[in-house]
Amino acid sequence: MKILVINAGSSSLKYQLIDIETEKRLLKGICDRIGMDGGTLTQENAEGGTLTVERDMKTHKEAIELVLGALTDKQAGAISSVAEIGAVGHRVLHSGEDFDRSVIIDDEVVRICEKNAELGPLHMPGNIGCIKSCREVMPGVPMVAVFDTTFHSTMPPKAFMYGIPYSVYEKYKVRKYGFHGTSHKFVSEEAIKFLGAENCRRLIVCHLGNGSSISAVKDGKCVDTSMGFTPLEGLIMGTRSGDIDPAAVEFMRVKLGMKAEDTVQFLNKQCGMKGISELDSDMRVLEKAINEGNEKARLAVEAAAYRIKKYVGSFAAALGGVDAIAFTGGIGENSALMRRLVMQDTEWLGVDFDEEENSARRPGIRVLSKKGSKVSVLVIPTNEELSIARETYALVLAK
Ligand code: ADP
Protein backbone atom coordinates (compact mmCIF):
# COMPACT_ATOMS: atom_id res chain seq x y z
CA MET A 1 0.00 0.00 0.00
CA LYS A 2 1.17 3.52 -0.80
CA ILE A 3 0.68 5.98 2.04
CA LEU A 4 0.76 9.75 1.69
CA VAL A 5 2.16 11.38 4.84
CA ILE A 6 1.27 15.04 5.34
CA ASN A 7 2.96 17.38 7.81
CA ALA A 8 1.34 20.81 7.58
CA GLY A 9 2.70 23.94 9.25
CA SER A 10 1.05 27.35 9.34
CA SER A 11 2.40 28.36 5.91
CA SER A 12 4.06 25.18 4.64
CA LEU A 13 3.09 21.61 3.84
CA LYS A 14 5.67 18.80 3.78
CA TYR A 15 4.69 15.46 2.29
CA GLN A 16 6.10 12.05 1.49
CA LEU A 17 4.74 9.08 -0.40
CA ILE A 18 5.84 5.82 1.24
CA ASP A 19 5.47 2.24 0.05
CA ILE A 20 4.63 0.67 3.38
CA GLU A 21 5.40 -2.95 2.49
CA THR A 22 9.03 -2.08 1.64
CA GLU A 23 9.11 1.03 3.90
CA LYS A 24 10.70 2.82 0.94
CA ARG A 25 10.16 6.55 0.39
CA LEU A 26 8.93 7.02 -3.18
CA LEU A 27 9.04 10.81 -3.13
CA LYS A 28 9.10 13.83 -0.87
CA GLY A 29 8.05 17.42 -1.38
CA ILE A 30 7.21 20.72 0.24
CA CYS A 31 4.78 23.55 -0.48
CA ASP A 32 6.13 26.83 0.85
CA ARG A 33 4.51 30.22 1.44
CA ILE A 34 0.90 29.02 1.60
CA GLY A 35 -1.39 32.03 2.02
CA MET A 36 1.35 34.44 0.85
CA ASP A 37 2.76 35.71 -2.43
CA GLY A 38 5.48 33.66 -4.09
CA GLY A 39 4.20 30.15 -3.31
CA THR A 40 6.36 27.24 -4.50
CA LEU A 41 6.13 23.46 -4.57
CA THR A 42 9.33 21.46 -4.81
CA GLN A 43 9.42 17.68 -5.08
CA GLU A 44 12.00 14.95 -5.61
CA ASN A 45 11.38 11.27 -6.23
CA ALA A 46 13.56 8.26 -5.35
CA GLU A 47 15.08 8.25 -8.85
CA GLY A 48 16.30 11.82 -8.42
CA GLY A 49 13.61 13.39 -10.64
CA THR A 50 12.83 16.91 -9.47
CA LEU A 51 9.92 19.31 -9.92
CA THR A 52 9.48 22.97 -9.01
CA VAL A 53 6.13 24.70 -9.46
CA GLU A 54 5.81 28.41 -8.74
CA ARG A 55 2.21 29.13 -7.98
CA ASP A 56 0.46 31.03 -5.21
CA MET A 57 -1.58 28.80 -2.90
CA LYS A 58 -4.18 30.84 -1.04
CA THR A 59 -5.22 27.96 1.21
CA HIS A 60 -4.04 24.51 2.29
CA LYS A 61 -6.71 23.13 -0.03
CA GLU A 62 -5.04 24.74 -3.03
CA ALA A 63 -1.73 23.30 -1.81
CA ILE A 64 -3.20 19.78 -1.55
CA GLU A 65 -4.61 20.05 -5.06
CA LEU A 66 -1.18 21.05 -6.33
CA VAL A 67 0.42 18.13 -4.46
CA LEU A 68 -2.02 15.61 -5.96
CA GLY A 69 -1.02 16.82 -9.43
CA ALA A 70 2.68 16.61 -8.56
CA LEU A 71 2.41 13.01 -7.30
CA THR A 72 1.57 11.87 -10.83
CA ASP A 73 4.17 14.07 -12.56
CA LYS A 74 6.00 12.13 -15.30
CA GLN A 75 9.53 13.24 -14.24
CA ALA A 76 9.32 13.62 -10.48
CA GLY A 77 6.18 11.69 -9.51
CA ALA A 78 5.82 8.08 -8.37
CA ILE A 79 2.28 7.02 -9.27
CA SER A 80 0.18 7.16 -12.41
CA SER A 81 -3.10 7.87 -10.65
CA VAL A 82 -4.13 9.32 -7.30
CA ALA A 83 -6.31 6.20 -6.89
CA GLU A 84 -3.08 4.32 -6.01
CA ILE A 85 -2.94 6.12 -2.64
CA GLY A 86 -4.25 3.62 -0.08
CA ALA A 87 -4.33 5.94 2.94
CA VAL A 88 -3.24 9.35 4.19
CA GLY A 89 -1.44 9.89 7.50
CA HIS A 90 -1.75 13.43 8.89
CA ARG A 91 0.65 14.71 11.50
CA VAL A 92 -1.47 16.65 14.01
CA LEU A 93 0.22 18.77 16.66
CA HIS A 94 -2.13 18.40 19.58
CA SER A 95 -4.44 15.69 20.92
CA GLY A 96 -5.41 17.60 24.07
CA GLU A 97 -6.57 15.02 26.59
CA ASP A 98 -9.03 13.55 24.09
CA PHE A 99 -6.86 10.95 22.37
CA ASP A 100 -4.18 8.63 23.72
CA ARG A 101 -3.26 7.13 20.33
CA SER A 102 -3.56 7.70 16.60
CA VAL A 103 -7.10 7.51 15.20
CA ILE A 104 -8.95 7.04 11.92
CA ILE A 105 -10.36 10.43 11.02
CA ASP A 106 -14.14 10.93 10.93
CA ASP A 107 -16.37 13.98 11.50
CA GLU A 108 -16.14 13.58 15.28
CA VAL A 109 -12.31 13.52 15.22
CA VAL A 110 -12.30 16.72 13.14
CA ARG A 111 -14.70 18.33 15.61
CA ILE A 112 -12.47 17.43 18.57
CA CYS A 113 -9.38 18.73 16.75
CA GLU A 114 -11.20 22.01 16.15
CA LYS A 115 -12.06 22.21 19.85
CA ASN A 116 -8.35 21.69 20.67
CA ALA A 117 -7.08 24.21 18.11
CA GLU A 118 -6.59 26.82 20.85
CA LEU A 119 -3.92 24.57 22.42
CA GLY A 120 -1.75 24.91 19.27
CA PRO A 121 -2.88 28.11 17.56
CA LEU A 122 0.10 28.23 15.18
CA HIS A 123 -0.12 24.68 13.83
CA MET A 124 -3.62 23.32 14.42
CA PRO A 125 -5.45 25.50 11.85
CA GLY A 126 -3.08 24.25 9.11
CA ASN A 127 -3.37 20.64 10.32
CA ILE A 128 -7.17 20.80 10.35
CA GLY A 129 -7.31 22.68 7.03
CA CYS A 130 -5.28 19.91 5.39
CA ILE A 131 -7.43 17.14 6.85
CA LYS A 132 -10.62 18.80 5.63
CA SER A 133 -9.21 19.46 2.16
CA CYS A 134 -7.93 15.91 1.77
CA ARG A 135 -11.29 14.50 2.81
CA GLU A 136 -12.91 16.69 0.16
CA VAL A 137 -10.56 15.95 -2.71
CA MET A 138 -9.92 12.26 -1.86
CA PRO A 139 -13.30 10.96 -0.67
CA GLY A 140 -13.24 7.32 0.36
CA VAL A 141 -9.50 7.23 1.11
CA PRO A 142 -8.93 6.36 4.80
CA MET A 143 -7.21 9.14 6.76
CA VAL A 144 -5.42 8.80 10.06
CA ALA A 145 -4.47 11.51 12.58
CA VAL A 146 -1.08 10.85 14.19
CA PHE A 147 -0.60 13.27 17.06
CA ASP A 148 2.70 14.76 18.26
CA THR A 149 1.52 14.43 21.85
CA THR A 150 -0.04 10.96 22.26
CA PHE A 151 3.20 9.02 22.88
CA HIS A 152 3.43 11.11 26.06
CA SER A 153 -0.15 10.36 27.14
CA THR A 154 1.16 7.54 29.36
CA MET A 155 2.80 10.11 31.68
CA PRO A 156 1.33 9.78 35.18
CA PRO A 157 -0.42 12.84 36.67
CA LYS A 158 2.50 13.49 39.05
CA ALA A 159 4.68 14.07 35.95
CA PHE A 160 2.25 16.13 33.88
CA MET A 161 0.80 18.38 36.60
CA TYR A 162 2.16 21.90 37.00
CA GLY A 163 2.10 23.41 40.49
CA ILE A 164 -1.08 25.37 39.75
CA PRO A 165 -4.62 25.23 41.19
CA TYR A 166 -6.23 21.92 40.27
CA SER A 167 -9.37 23.72 39.12
CA VAL A 168 -7.33 25.69 36.54
CA TYR A 169 -5.89 22.42 35.20
CA GLU A 170 -9.36 20.86 35.14
CA LYS A 171 -11.13 23.76 33.49
CA TYR A 172 -8.50 24.87 30.97
CA LYS A 173 -6.40 21.69 30.62
CA VAL A 174 -3.19 23.53 31.48
CA ARG A 175 -0.63 20.73 31.99
CA LYS A 176 2.46 19.21 30.44
CA TYR A 177 1.66 17.42 27.16
CA GLY A 178 5.04 16.90 25.49
CA PHE A 179 5.78 16.96 21.74
CA HIS A 180 7.97 15.21 19.11
CA GLY A 181 5.99 12.09 20.07
CA THR A 182 6.35 10.36 16.69
CA SER A 183 10.13 10.66 16.94
CA HIS A 184 10.34 9.54 20.58
CA LYS A 185 8.11 6.56 19.76
CA PHE A 186 10.04 5.60 16.63
CA VAL A 187 13.42 5.83 18.37
CA SER A 188 12.17 3.93 21.45
CA GLU A 189 10.91 1.10 19.23
CA GLU A 190 14.17 1.00 17.28
CA ALA A 191 16.20 0.96 20.52
CA ILE A 192 14.13 -1.92 21.89
CA LYS A 193 14.52 -3.84 18.61
CA PHE A 194 18.26 -3.18 18.60
CA LEU A 195 19.08 -3.94 22.25
CA GLY A 196 16.25 -6.31 23.17
CA ALA A 197 13.47 -5.29 25.57
CA GLU A 198 15.30 -6.65 28.64
CA ASN A 199 18.31 -4.37 27.98
CA CYS A 200 16.20 -1.33 27.31
CA ARG A 201 13.69 -1.20 30.17
CA ARG A 202 14.78 2.28 31.30
CA LEU A 203 15.51 4.41 28.25
CA ILE A 204 16.24 8.13 27.81
CA VAL A 205 15.63 9.51 24.30
CA CYS A 206 17.32 12.82 23.42
CA HIS A 207 15.73 14.32 20.29
CA LEU A 208 18.02 17.26 19.47
CA GLY A 209 17.19 19.33 16.39
CA ASN A 210 16.07 22.92 15.87
CA GLY A 211 13.48 22.03 18.48
CA SER A 212 14.74 19.62 21.13
CA SER A 213 13.16 17.42 23.76
CA ILE A 214 14.02 14.49 26.03
CA SER A 215 11.80 11.62 27.13
CA ALA A 216 12.04 9.07 29.90
CA VAL A 217 10.69 5.77 28.57
CA LYS A 218 9.97 2.77 30.79
CA ASP A 219 9.25 -0.55 29.05
CA GLY A 220 8.47 1.32 25.83
CA LYS A 221 6.06 3.80 27.48
CA CYS A 222 6.76 7.47 28.12
CA VAL A 223 6.78 8.41 31.82
CA ASP A 224 8.12 11.96 31.52
CA THR A 225 9.26 14.46 28.90
CA SER A 226 10.91 17.87 28.81
CA MET A 227 8.47 19.84 26.60
CA GLY A 228 5.32 21.06 28.29
CA PHE A 229 2.03 22.78 27.58
CA THR A 230 3.77 24.02 24.44
CA PRO A 231 7.11 23.08 22.83
CA LEU A 232 8.75 26.03 24.63
CA GLU A 233 9.51 24.23 27.90
CA GLY A 234 12.60 22.21 28.71
CA LEU A 235 15.89 22.34 26.83
CA ILE A 236 17.74 25.38 25.50
CA MET A 237 16.97 24.92 21.78
CA GLY A 238 17.93 26.65 18.52
CA THR A 239 15.77 29.71 19.16
CA ARG A 240 13.65 28.68 22.19
CA SER A 241 14.64 29.54 25.73
CA GLY A 242 13.40 26.33 27.35
CA ASP A 243 12.87 26.44 31.14
CA ILE A 244 12.94 29.96 32.54
CA ASP A 245 11.65 31.70 35.67
CA PRO A 246 8.27 33.24 34.63
CA ALA A 247 9.08 36.25 36.83
CA ALA A 248 12.19 36.89 34.68
CA VAL A 249 9.92 36.93 31.63
CA GLU A 250 7.73 39.64 33.13
CA PHE A 251 10.85 41.61 34.19
CA MET A 252 12.26 41.43 30.63
CA ARG A 253 8.88 42.42 29.18
CA VAL A 254 8.94 45.67 31.14
CA LYS A 255 12.64 46.40 30.53
CA LEU A 256 12.47 45.65 26.78
CA GLY A 257 9.10 47.40 26.34
CA MET A 258 7.45 44.32 24.88
CA LYS A 259 3.71 43.88 24.59
CA ALA A 260 2.38 40.98 26.66
CA GLU A 261 1.37 39.09 23.50
CA ASP A 262 4.90 39.37 22.08
CA THR A 263 6.73 37.68 24.96
CA VAL A 264 5.95 34.12 23.89
CA GLN A 265 7.10 34.93 20.37
CA PHE A 266 10.31 36.42 21.84
CA LEU A 267 10.97 33.28 23.91
CA ASN A 268 10.26 31.06 20.90
CA LYS A 269 12.19 32.93 18.22
CA GLN A 270 14.89 35.16 19.73
CA CYS A 271 16.28 33.07 22.58
CA GLY A 272 17.94 29.67 22.97
CA MET A 273 21.39 29.19 21.39
CA LYS A 274 20.64 32.00 18.93
CA GLY A 275 19.97 34.38 21.78
CA ILE A 276 23.01 33.44 23.87
CA SER A 277 25.44 33.39 20.93
CA GLU A 278 23.88 36.48 19.33
CA LEU A 279 25.01 34.76 16.16
CA ASP A 280 22.83 31.90 14.91
CA SER A 281 20.60 29.01 15.95
CA ASP A 282 22.22 26.50 13.60
CA MET A 283 24.58 24.04 15.29
CA ARG A 284 26.88 23.87 12.26
CA VAL A 285 27.35 27.64 12.28
CA LEU A 286 27.96 27.59 16.05
CA GLU A 287 30.54 24.78 15.82
CA LYS A 288 32.42 26.66 13.12
CA ALA A 289 32.36 29.83 15.24
CA ILE A 290 33.65 27.92 18.29
CA ASN A 291 36.57 26.65 16.21
CA GLU A 292 37.32 30.26 15.30
CA GLY A 293 37.37 31.26 18.98
CA ASN A 294 33.89 32.77 19.38
CA GLU A 295 33.26 32.65 23.15
CA LYS A 296 29.53 33.44 23.05
CA ALA A 297 28.99 30.58 20.57
CA ARG A 298 30.86 28.29 22.98
CA LEU A 299 28.73 29.45 25.89
CA ALA A 300 25.52 28.85 23.90
CA VAL A 301 26.48 25.25 23.09
CA GLU A 302 27.82 24.57 26.60
CA ALA A 303 24.64 25.92 28.20
CA ALA A 304 22.46 23.81 25.87
CA ALA A 305 24.54 20.69 26.62
CA TYR A 306 24.47 21.35 30.36
CA ARG A 307 20.67 21.61 30.30
CA ILE A 308 20.48 18.27 28.44
CA LYS A 309 22.82 16.68 30.99
CA LYS A 310 20.63 17.90 33.86
CA TYR A 311 17.54 16.40 32.23
CA VAL A 312 19.36 13.11 31.65
CA GLY A 313 20.24 13.05 35.36
CA SER A 314 16.73 13.88 36.49
CA PHE A 315 15.14 11.34 34.14
CA ALA A 316 17.59 8.68 35.37
CA ALA A 317 16.27 9.47 38.84
CA ALA A 318 12.66 9.32 37.59
CA LEU A 319 13.29 5.92 35.98
CA GLY A 320 15.16 4.54 39.00
CA GLY A 321 18.31 4.13 36.88
CA VAL A 322 19.01 3.94 33.17
CA ASP A 323 19.82 1.11 30.75
CA ALA A 324 20.18 3.08 27.53
CA ILE A 325 20.46 6.64 26.20
CA ALA A 326 19.58 7.30 22.55
CA PHE A 327 20.52 10.44 20.59
CA THR A 328 18.51 11.46 17.55
CA GLY A 329 17.53 14.54 15.44
CA GLY A 330 19.84 16.70 13.32
CA ILE A 331 22.12 17.58 16.26
CA GLY A 332 21.78 14.27 18.13
CA GLU A 333 22.67 12.30 15.01
CA ASN A 334 25.42 14.56 13.66
CA SER A 335 27.07 16.67 16.33
CA ALA A 336 29.87 14.75 18.03
CA LEU A 337 30.61 17.90 20.04
CA MET A 338 27.12 18.10 21.55
CA ARG A 339 27.08 14.37 22.41
CA ARG A 340 30.53 14.61 23.99
CA LEU A 341 29.59 17.61 26.14
CA VAL A 342 26.44 15.82 27.33
CA MET A 343 28.13 12.50 28.01
CA GLN A 344 31.37 13.67 29.60
CA ASP A 345 31.63 13.00 33.35
CA THR A 346 28.74 10.54 33.35
CA GLU A 347 30.77 7.57 34.64
CA TRP A 348 28.82 7.89 37.91
CA LEU A 349 25.72 7.01 35.89
CA GLY A 350 27.36 3.86 34.50
CA VAL A 351 28.30 5.29 31.10
CA ASP A 352 31.64 4.24 29.60
CA PHE A 353 31.65 6.59 26.61
CA ASP A 354 33.63 5.70 23.48
CA GLU A 355 35.12 9.05 22.37
CA GLU A 356 36.63 7.55 19.22
CA GLU A 357 33.36 6.01 18.03
CA ASN A 358 31.59 9.27 18.90
CA SER A 359 33.83 11.16 16.47
CA ALA A 360 33.50 8.60 13.65
CA ARG A 361 30.89 9.22 10.95
CA ARG A 362 28.78 6.20 10.06
CA PRO A 363 25.24 5.79 8.78
CA GLY A 364 22.52 3.86 10.63
CA ILE A 365 22.26 2.90 14.29
CA ARG A 366 25.56 3.32 16.17
CA VAL A 367 26.77 2.30 19.62
CA LEU A 368 28.82 5.01 21.39
CA SER A 369 29.40 3.13 24.66
CA LYS A 370 32.29 0.74 25.21
CA LYS A 371 31.72 -3.00 25.65
CA GLY A 372 30.84 -3.65 29.27
CA SER A 373 29.38 -0.16 29.80
CA LYS A 374 26.40 -0.51 32.17
CA VAL A 375 24.50 2.02 30.09
CA SER A 376 24.29 1.65 26.30
CA VAL A 377 24.65 4.94 24.43
CA LEU A 378 23.20 4.88 20.92
CA VAL A 379 22.70 7.11 17.91
CA ILE A 380 19.41 6.21 16.22
CA PRO A 381 18.41 8.18 13.10
CA THR A 382 14.81 9.25 13.47
CA ASN A 383 12.22 8.95 10.72
CA GLU A 384 9.01 10.70 11.72
CA GLU A 385 7.31 10.24 8.35
CA LEU A 386 7.91 6.48 8.43
CA SER A 387 6.60 6.40 11.97
CA ILE A 388 3.41 8.18 10.80
CA ALA A 389 3.09 5.81 7.82
CA ARG A 390 3.45 2.75 10.10
CA GLU A 391 0.78 4.04 12.47
CA THR A 392 -1.52 4.83 9.56
CA TYR A 393 -1.07 1.38 8.03
CA ALA A 394 -1.67 -0.41 11.33
CA LEU A 395 -4.98 1.41 11.86
CA VAL A 396 -6.17 0.97 8.28
CA LEU A 397 -5.34 -2.76 8.41
CA ALA A 398 -7.14 -3.18 11.73
CA LYS A 399 -10.20 -1.52 10.25
P1 ADP B 1 14.15 20.12 12.89
O1 ADP B 1 13.93 20.21 14.37
O2 ADP B 1 13.81 21.38 12.16
O3 ADP B 1 13.59 18.86 12.25
P2 ADP B 1 16.72 18.87 12.49
O4 ADP B 1 16.40 17.66 13.28
O5 ADP B 1 16.92 18.72 11.02
O6 ADP B 1 15.73 20.04 12.75
O7 ADP B 1 18.06 19.49 13.12
C1 ADP B 1 18.61 20.69 12.67
C2 ADP B 1 19.87 20.95 13.48
O8 ADP B 1 20.81 19.89 13.24
C3 ADP B 1 20.57 22.25 13.11
O9 ADP B 1 21.00 22.93 14.28
C4 ADP B 1 21.76 21.76 12.33
O10 ADP B 1 22.86 22.64 12.40
C5 ADP B 1 22.08 20.46 13.03
N1 ADP B 1 22.95 19.63 12.19
C6 ADP B 1 22.64 19.03 11.01
N2 ADP B 1 23.75 18.42 10.49
C7 ADP B 1 24.77 18.65 11.36
C8 ADP B 1 26.16 18.29 11.40
N3 ADP B 1 26.70 17.57 10.44
N4 ADP B 1 26.88 18.70 12.46
C9 ADP B 1 26.32 19.43 13.44
N5 ADP B 1 25.03 19.80 13.47
C10 ADP B 1 24.26 19.42 12.45
Side-chain angles (χ1 to χ4, degrees):
M1 182 189 288
K2 295 186 178 75
I3 295 182
L4 179 63
V5 173
I6 292 186
N7 180 359
S10 51
S11 63
S12 70
L13 188 164
K14 292 188 204 149
Y15 59 96
Q16 290 194 6
L17 190 65
I18 294 175
D19 181 311
I20 198 64
E21 277 86 12
T22 58
E23 297 203 332
K24 193 176 158 224
R25 184 174 72 204
L26 303 174
L27 58 75
K28 65 172 179 176
I30 180 166
C31 297
D32 268 321
R33 300 186 62 83
I34 299 170
M36 308 176 195
D37 290 339
T40 48
L41 174 150
T42 46
Q43 179 176 297
E44 183 175 359
N45 69 13
E47 282 72 47
T50 58
L51 172 72
T52 304
V53 184
E54 293 188 357
R55 187 177 311 163
D56 287 353
M57 296 159 270
K58 281 198 217 80
T59 59
H60 283 83
K61 186 171 180 211
E62 287 184 20
I64 294 281
E65 283 166 348
L66 205 56
V67 169
L68 291 184
L71 295 178
T72 55
D73 183 76
K74 288 232 160 33
Q75 302 295 325
I79 47 179
S80 49
S81 152
V82 172
E84 287 178 49
I85 299 170
V88 183
H90 291 271
R91 179 181 192 167
V92 180
L93 178 79
H94 222 302
S95 61
E97 286 192 324
D98 296 291
F99 303 106
D100 60 3
R101 64 199 68 193
S102 306
V103 285
I104 299 246
I105 296 171
D106 58 18
D107 292 346
E108 178 65 1
V109 169
V110 175
R111 192 191 62 73
I112 296 170
C113 288
E114 283 176 327
K115 178 194 68 133
N116 289 331
E118 65 174 0
L119 297 174
L122 282 184
H123 289 87
M124 290 296 277
N127 296 161
I128 296 164
C130 267
I131 290 174
K132 285 181 161 172
S133 314
C134 278
R135 294 182 84 206
E136 259 178 71
V137 294
M138 304 165 76
V141 178
M143 314 252 160
V144 170
V146 180
F147 300 95
D148 243 22
T149 45
T150 48
F151 180 64
H152 307 298
S153 68
T154 44
M155 278 190 290
K158 68 180 178 189
F160 72 62
M161 277 305 289
Y162 290 128
I164 59 171
Y166 194 85
S167 53
V168 175
Y169 154 64
E170 239 183 349
K171 190 161 179 201
Y172 301 107
K173 303 295 174 203
V174 177
R175 49 161 282 184
K176 181 186 276 285
Y177 289 97
F179 297 86
H180 288 146
T182 47
S183 178
H184 286 283
K185 182 170 193 279
F186 181 86
V187 170
S188 302
E189 287 170 356
E190 294 292 301
I192 289 169
K193 264 194 252 166
F194 186 80
L195 293 172
E198 271 314 296
N199 303 316
C200 202
R201 298 200 62 187
R202 299 163 303 176
L203 169 70
I204 296 174
V205 177
C206 306
H207 175 109
L208 313 176
N210 284 320
S212 299
S213 62
I214 303 203
S215 284
V217 180
K218 197 162 204 171
D219 294 321
K221 294 203 162 43
C222 178
V223 294
D224 206 343
T225 193
S226 60
M227 281 180 168
F229 180 66
T230 77
L232 186 50
E233 191 181 340
L235 303 177
I236 293 176
M237 310 179 212
T239 61
R240 294 187 189 125
S241 64
D243 299 338
I244 185 167
D245 182 344
V249 177
E250 175 57 13
F251 188 83
M252 283 191 290
R253 187 189 68 74
V254 173
K255 292 290 180 196
L256 300 178
M258 282 187 283
K259 290 199 206 101
E261 61 268 30
D262 293 337
T263 52
V264 172
Q265 171 89 342
F266 170 74
L267 295 170
N268 267 308
K269 299 276 184 211
Q270 302 299 330
C271 294
M273 294 198 288
K274 178 181 173 188
I276 298 175
S277 68
E278 298 196 310
L279 176 67
D280 209 288
S281 63
D282 192 287
M283 188 64 189
R284 285 165 291 200
V285 175
L286 294 172
E287 287 195 22
K288 185 163 174 283
I290 290 171
N291 291 335
E292 290 163 1
N294 184 321
E295 284 308 314
K296 279 197 278 184
R298 175 176 300 283
L299 177 62
V301 171
E302 285 182 352
Y306 180 67
R307 181 75 58 85
I308 299 167
K309 190 195 284 276
K310 286 206 296 186
Y311 265 95
V312 168
S314 65
F315 283 177
L319 289 164
V322 56
D323 301 311
I325 299 170
F327 286 94
T328 195
I331 296 173
E333 291 167 35
N334 297 300
S335 174
L337 172 66
M338 185 61 91
R339 292 188 304 252
R340 178 164 56 76
L341 290 173
V342 174
M343 285 289 104
Q344 72 189 13
D345 304 324
T346 49
E347 295 79 13
W348 65 274
L349 196 61
V351 174
D352 193 356
F353 192 56
D354 189 337
E355 288 279 357
E356 220 172 284
E357 183 58 31
N358 183 49
S359 304
R361 291 205 154 271
R362 284 184 238 284
I365 297 184
R366 296 166 51 199
V367 182
L368 304 187
S369 43
K370 291 189 185 154
K371 258 207 172 88
S373 175
K374 278 200 213 126
V375 178
S376 305
V377 180
L378 306 174
V379 172
I380 301 183
T382 195
N383 190 337
E384 294 174 81
E385 286 76 16
L386 180 57
S387 182
I388 293 169
R390 283 180 184 169
E391 292 268 306
T392 302
Y393 187 55
L395 278 175
V396 170
L397 266 196
K399 202 181 172 210

